[in-house]
C-alpha cells in the first residue's frame, strides 16, 4: 500500500472509529441536555443554563444536518453538496450559521457568570433576568442568520468540490472573519470573562441564590470553555492555510495528508458538540440526580412480588380428636 493510499485509508478509518460514534453520542447528549434542563424549575430559571440549553438545541440541529454530510464526504466519498449547487449553498450556509451559533452560547454563559458576580447591582439585575437572556439568545440567532447571507451567493462547485468562489468576500471571510469568529473571538471572551469572574469572587462578597447549583454550573462550564478555546485555534486558521496554498501544485500525497489533518481538526473541534452532556453529568451532582430520576421514569424497575401460596397443608388448622379411654371399656 502506497503512502497516498495509507493516508486515504486513515481518513476513512477516523470516520468509522470516531466520527460516526461521536455523531450518535452527540445527538443523544444534546437531547438529554434539553430534557434534563427543562425538567427542573431551578435549571430553567438559571440564566447560564438557559444559554447552555440554547446551545444544546442548536447542536441538535447541527449534528444531523451538517456533520452527517461531512462524514459522508470524508468517510464514504458520497455527498450531494459536491454535485448539486443548490445543495452546496444550503449546506455551507447552514454549516456556518449552526456552528457559530452553537459556540456563541457557551461564550454568553461565561459572560453571564462574569456579570452575575459583578459588585454592581444594576449590572447583575440588568443581565441576570431571564427576559434579557431570552432576548439575547433570539438576537444572537437572528444576527448569525443575517450575517452569513452573503455565503449563499459566494459558494459554488469548483472541480467537483463545494467551496467558496474566489472574490473579495471569500478573502475577507478566510483571512479575517473565520479566524476571529472561531479562534480569536471565543478565546478572548472566555479569557476575559473567566478572569473577571475569578477576580469578582475574590474581591466581592456577592450573595448568590442557589449557591450550590451556581458553583456546579461553573464547574460544568469551565471544561467546555477550555475545549472550545483550544480546538478553535486550529479550526479557525485552517481555512487560511487552505487559501494560501490553494494555487500551489500539490502532489497526491500532500493532498491526502491535508485531508487527513483536516479530518483530525474537524473531529477535535466537534468535541465541543459531542462531549458537552457527558461533562455536565460528570461535573454536576444536581444534573446527575435529575437525569437519574428521568431515566428511572422511562425505564421503570419491575419488582418481583412474592406469590400468595395457599396450599393444602399450610393454611387450614387441623382438628385434634382425642380418644376417650372409657369408650374402649
Amino acid at each position: 500500500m502506497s503512502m497516498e493510499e495509507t493516508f486515504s485509508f486513515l481518513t476513512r478509518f477516523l470516520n468509522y472509529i470516531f466520527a460516526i460514534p461521536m455523531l450518535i453520542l452527540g445527538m443523544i447528549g444534546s437531547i438529554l441536555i434539553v430534557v434534563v434542563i427543562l425538567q427542573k424549575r431551578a435549571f430553567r430559571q438559571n440564566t447560564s443554563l438557559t444559554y447552555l440549553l440554547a446551545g444544546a438545541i442548536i447542536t441538535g440541529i447541527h449534528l444531523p444536518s451538517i456533520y452527517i454530510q461531512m462524514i459522508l464526504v470524508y468517510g464514504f466519498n458520497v455527498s450531494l453538496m459536491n454535485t448539486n449547487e443548490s445543495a452546496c449553498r444550503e449546506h455551507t450556509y447552514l454549516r456556518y450559521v449552526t456552528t457559530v451559533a452553537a459556540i456563541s452560547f457557551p461564550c454568553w454563559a461565561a459572560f453571564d457568570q462574569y456579570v452575575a458576580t459583578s459588585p454592581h447591582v444594576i449590572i447583575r439585575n440588568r443581565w441576570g433576568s431571564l427576559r434579557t437572556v431570552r432576548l439575547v439568545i433570539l438576537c444572537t440567532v437572528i444576527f448569525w442568520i443575517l450575517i452569513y447571507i452573503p455565503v449563499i451567493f459566494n459558494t459554488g462547485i469548483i472541480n467537483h468540490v463545494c467551496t467558496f468562489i474566489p472574490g473579495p468576500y471569500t478573502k475577507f471571510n478566510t483571512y479575517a472573519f473565520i479566524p476571529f469568529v472561531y479562534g480569536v473571538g471565543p478565546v478572548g471572551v472566555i479569557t476575559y470573562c473567566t478572569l473577571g469572574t475569578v477576580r469578582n469572587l475574590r474581591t466581592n462578597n456577592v450573595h448568590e441564590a442557589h449557591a450550590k447549583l451556581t458553583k456546579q454550573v461553573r464547574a460544568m462550564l469551565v471544561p467546555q470553555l477550555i475545549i472550545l478555546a483550544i480546538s478553535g485555534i486550529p479550526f479557525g486558521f485552517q481555512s487560511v492555510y487552505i487559501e494560501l496554498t490553494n494555487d500551489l501544485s500539490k502532489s497526491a500525497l500532500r493532498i491526502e495528508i491535508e485531508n487527513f489533518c483536516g479530518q483530525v481538526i474537524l473531529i477535535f473541534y466537534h468535541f465541543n458538540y459531542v462531549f458537552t452532556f457527558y461533562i455536565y453529568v460528570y461535573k454536576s451532582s444536581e444534573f446527575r440526580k435529575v437525569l437519574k430520576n428521568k431515566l428511572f421514569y422511562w425505564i421503570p424497575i419491575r419488582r418481583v412480588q412474592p406469590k400468595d401460596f395457599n396450599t393444602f397443608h399450610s393454611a387450614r388448622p387441623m382438628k385434634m380428636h382425642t380418644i376417650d379411654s372409657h369408650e374402649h371399656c
Side-chain angles (χ1 to χ4, degrees):
M1 182 182 292
S2 64
M3 291 296 293
E4 295 90 338
E5 293 174 339
T6 300
F7 276 101
S8 178
F9 169 76
L10 290 175
T11 302
R12 295 194 303 271
F13 182 76
L14 286 176
N15 275 272
Y16 306 147
I17 302 300
F18 292 102
I20 295 176
M22 284 174 58
L23 172 67
I24 298 171
L25 292 174
M27 292 176 63
I28 294 173
S30 62
I31 293 172
L32 290 178
I33 289 174
V34 174
V35 171
V36 171
I37 292 179
L38 294 179
Q39 191 67 24
K40 190 172 182 178
R41 183 179 180 183
F43 289 175
R44 297 194 302 270
Q45 294 181 340
N46 186 282
T47 50
S48 293
L49 287 179
T50 303
Y51 284 122
L52 299 181
L53 172 64
I57 293 173
I58 299 297
T59 297
I61 298 173
H62 171 83
L63 289 176
S65 62
I66 303 302
Y67 198 39
I68 287 179
Q69 284 285 339
M70 307 305 292
I71 291 174
L72 290 174
V73 170
Y74 285 103
F76 302 93
N77 293 323
V78 175
S79 178
L80 179 62
M81 67 180 185
N82 287 333
T83 56
N84 185 283
E85 191 157 334
S86 298
C88 167
R89 293 176 176 176
E90 178 186 357
H91 169 82
T92 307
Y93 176 72
L94 289 177
R95 174 162 59 92
Y96 276 91
V97 171
T98 56
T99 302
V100 179
I103 65 175
S104 298
F105 295 120
C107 296
W108 276 115
F111 173 78
D112 181 72
Q113 291 293 309
Y114 172 58
V115 297
T117 58
S118 172
H120 304 290
V121 178
I122 297 177
I123 294 178
R124 294 202 305 267
N125 292 339
R126 178 180 299 173
W127 290 98
S129 68
L130 282 175
R131 182 176 182 180
T132 301
V133 170
R134 290 164 183 162
L135 181 62
V136 168
I137 291 171
L138 179 62
C139 291
T140 300
V141 174
I142 294 175
F143 174 78
W144 293 122
I145 288 175
L146 296 177
I147 207 71
Y148 276 116
I149 287 179
V151 169
I152 300 174
F153 306 101
N154 288 274
T155 52
I157 300 175
I158 301 176
N159 297 326
H160 307 289
V161 176
C162 177
T163 185
F164 278 92
I165 299 172
Y169 178 81
T170 299
K171 289 188 178 297
F172 166 76
N173 189 56
T174 301
Y175 292 110
F177 204 52
I178 291 179
F180 176 78
V181 169
Y182 290 95
V184 179
V187 171
V189 172
I190 291 167
T191 303
Y192 179 81
C193 293
T194 302
L195 293 178
T197 301
V198 173
R199 183 176 60 253
N200 290 341
L201 290 173
R202 288 178 177 176
T203 58
N204 303 315
N205 186 17
V206 180
H207 174 71
E208 295 176 320
H210 306 289
K212 180 181 178 181
L213 177 60
T214 303
K215 291 179 181 178
Q216 292 189 12
V217 170
R218 292 193 189 111
M220 294 159 58
L221 188 59
V222 169
Q224 185 179 3
L225 294 176
I226 292 174
I227 293 175
L228 177 58
I230 296 175
S231 64
I233 297 297
F235 187 78
F237 286 90
Q238 180 188 13
S239 59
V240 176
Y241 169 79
I242 294 174
E243 182 67 19
L244 288 174
T245 61
N246 194 33
D247 295 331
L248 299 179
S249 178
K250 300 179 182 180
S251 64
L253 176 59
R254 180 172 177 175
I255 292 174
E256 293 298 335
I257 293 175
E258 289 180 354
N259 290 336
F260 173 76
C261 293
Q263 181 65 9
V264 172
I265 293 173
L266 182 65
I267 290 176
F268 182 42
Y269 190 75
H270 275 81
F271 282 9
N272 295 291
Y273 307 96
V274 174
F275 295 114
T276 303
F277 165 76
Y278 308 97
I279 291 173
Y280 296 170
V281 172
Y282 178 72
K283 285 292 186 177
S284 173
S285 59
E286 293 289 327
F287 195 91
R288 289 195 302 270
K289 182 179 178 181
V290 176
L291 176 64
K292 181 180 177 181
N293 293 336
K294 195 62 181 177
L295 290 178
F296 283 166
Y297 175 78
W298 288 336
I299 310 173
I301 299 176
R302 296 182 178 180
R303 297 178 180 177
V304 179
Q305 300 291 337
K307 294 183 178 179
D308 185 15
F309 290 100
N310 187 9
T311 59
F312 176 78
H313 299 285
S314 60
R316 188 176 299 171
M318 299 291 293
K319 291 184 178 181
M320 301 298 295
H321 297 278
T322 57
I323 302 176
D324 192 351
S325 60
H326 297 286
E327 293 178 1
H328 296 277
C329 299

